[in-house]
Amino acid sequence: MTKAKPKTAKATIAKVAPGPLTRAAIERARVKHDALPRRPFMAVEKDEDGKSEMAPTHSDDVGHSAWLHASLGTTSTSFLMQQLYSLQLATGGTATAGEPDVAGMNANLALLGAIDPKDELEGALATQMVGCHALSMAMLCRAKTTTRVDQLQLYGNLAVKLQRTFTAQIEALARMRGKGQQTVRVEHVTVQPGAQAIVGDVHHHAPGGPGILPKTEERPHEQSAAAASAQGRPALPSPDPTRNGVPIPGDAKRAVSNPRRAVARRAARKPERAEARSLEPRDDRASPRHSGDEA
């Protein structure tokens, strides 16, 4: 008869303390965690008949009920219970041994709190979004665990369709809240002389900065003030040796010469008749053809 060997306790591995970088990261995460809003959550407890049910973890039942109502944007208890029951069935139902899936329900409540519906219409859309997300993740898990190509294609296509539906639901919620429309606000309008209006951000730079043109109020078709004041000044010297002055254009009236000189039109030539040519030679000399006869 052999004696049973006594069970030996498993050796525990002593863990070292976190290093300075890890402690700094943990501290930043703790600060961020404390700043995040709290979501409603529940626990499982036994009633008087020994049946398991979901209930708050504290004694303020009225406050917990108000918290659940606000997570779905409603004051109707019937609407709240209907949506929670639908979520419980759509996202996993009950856990093993008939116990309610409190972890799954708390996850659903956390996602509902992030969506933060404002009324029953947004609450219904938020419930659909939570169910769509849960079903798409279930299809991804099935596609990951299967070894058949046809099932992988089936579950993968369903997961992609559900993910697209989830994105469309987010866009629909944004349009309902008025966030899908783009608003253009004109901050400042600057119109330069002879130019068109500029709509957009306008930055003012110091005078003389690079790429900045001096501002002018003059019109391109008007005489500048500098040219008008220079009319009474002496003419500028010319660079040629004679030192003749260069005249400055002014507004004095001058006679304008004719653009064209008067040219007498030539008399129209009449077509001359062609003179009749004589068949006889022009001079008294005999034609070569008749020179032999005259001889």
Side-chain angles (χ1 to χ4, degrees), residues 32 44-45 54 62 67 79 91 94 124 144 149 152 155 160 186 207 231 233 237 245 263 283 295:
K32 180 180 179 180
V44 177
E45 65 178 17
M54 294 185 183
V62 178
W67 200 1
F79 180 79
T91 58
T94 58
K144 182 66 176 178
V149 178
L152 175 62
Y155 297 144
V160 170
V186 179
Q231 292 181 3
R233 299 178 182 177
V263 179
D283 50 7

Side-chain angles (χ1 to χ4, degrees), residues 51 64 99 115 142 157 188 208 279 293:
K51 185 179 179 180
H64 184 75
E99 295 290 336
I115 300 173
R142 292 189 179 185
N157 291 338
H188 187 71
L279 299 178
D293 297 340

Side-chain angles (χ1 to χ4, degrees), residues 238-290:
S238 175
D240 57 30
T242 57
R243 309 298 293 177
N244 294 328
V246 178
I248 297 178
D251 296 335
K253 297 182 178 180
R254 301 181 181 88
V256 180
S257 59
N258 296 327
R260 293 181 181 179
R261 294 183 300 174
V263 179
R265 296 183 179 179
R266 298 180 180 180
R269 294 184 179 180
K270 296 181 180 181
E272 298 179 356
R273 294 182 180 180
E275 298 179 356
R277 295 183 179 180
S278 177
L279 299 178
E280 298 295 334
R282 294 183 181 180
D283 50 7
D284 296 336
R285 291 178 300 176
S287 175
R289 294 180 300 176
H290 302 286

Side-chain angles (χ1 to χ4, degrees), residues 109-134:
L109 292 176
L111 186 53
L112 284 175
I115 300 173
D116 192 16
K118 306 301 180 184
D119 51 21
E120 287 79 7
L121 182 60
E122 292 187 6
L125 181 57
T127 304
Q128 296 177 16
M129 294 171 64
V130 174
C132 183
H133 170 68

Side-chain angles (χ1 to χ4, degrees), residues 38-60:
R38 298 282 291 176
R39 308 302 185 192
F41 59 95
M42 293 184 290
V44 177
E45 65 178 17
K46 301 289 185 178
D47 58 3
E48 296 178 355
D49 299 334
K51 185 179 179 180
S52 300
E53 63 178 4
M54 294 185 183
T57 58
H58 48 79
S59 59
D60 190 358

